[in-house]
Amino acid sequence: MQHVNIHEAKTNLSKLIEKAVQGEPFVIAKSGKPMVTVVAYTPPPNPAKRVGFLKGRLEVPEDFDFMGNAEIQAMFSGEE
């Protein structure tokens, strides 16, 4: 893997990026000490659509927000 110092990276950034895109990653160093590795960006795989993925497949009851209220109240009040 090619090592370049910061000044050289600034001077030749476009060329270095093009090489990275073509599969040749490089390391930017400061005073000979490696600081960062530059590699081509690989987009993540297209994740499954999560929001609304069950739309039309489920039916939510009208009283959904209040279902089980009596049982829950009984548990908290000590009545069973």
Side-chain angles (χ1 to χ4, degrees), residues 3-75:
H3 284 65
V4 296
N5 65 39
I6 292 177
H7 178 71
E8 183 183 349
K10 286 181 190 179
T11 304
N12 299 307
L13 188 59
S14 295
K15 292 176 189 174
L16 290 168
I17 289 174
E18 195 57 42
K19 283 185 177 183
V21 168
Q22 293 173 6
E24 296 180 46
F26 63 95
V27 174
I28 298 177
K30 182 177 182 179
S31 301
K33 180 182 174 189
M35 301 298 284
V36 296
T37 302
V38 180
V39 296
Y41 173 74
T42 304
N46 202 0
K49 182 179 175 186
R50 300 302 304 164
V51 176
F53 72 103
L54 290 175
K55 186 174 183 177
R57 296 183 185 178
L58 294 176
E59 197 170 304
V60 179
E62 289 293 323
D63 65 341
F64 178 79
D65 293 334
F66 306 103
M67 291 174 63
N69 269 1
E71 292 86 358
I72 294 170
Q73 283 294 336
M75 286 183 216

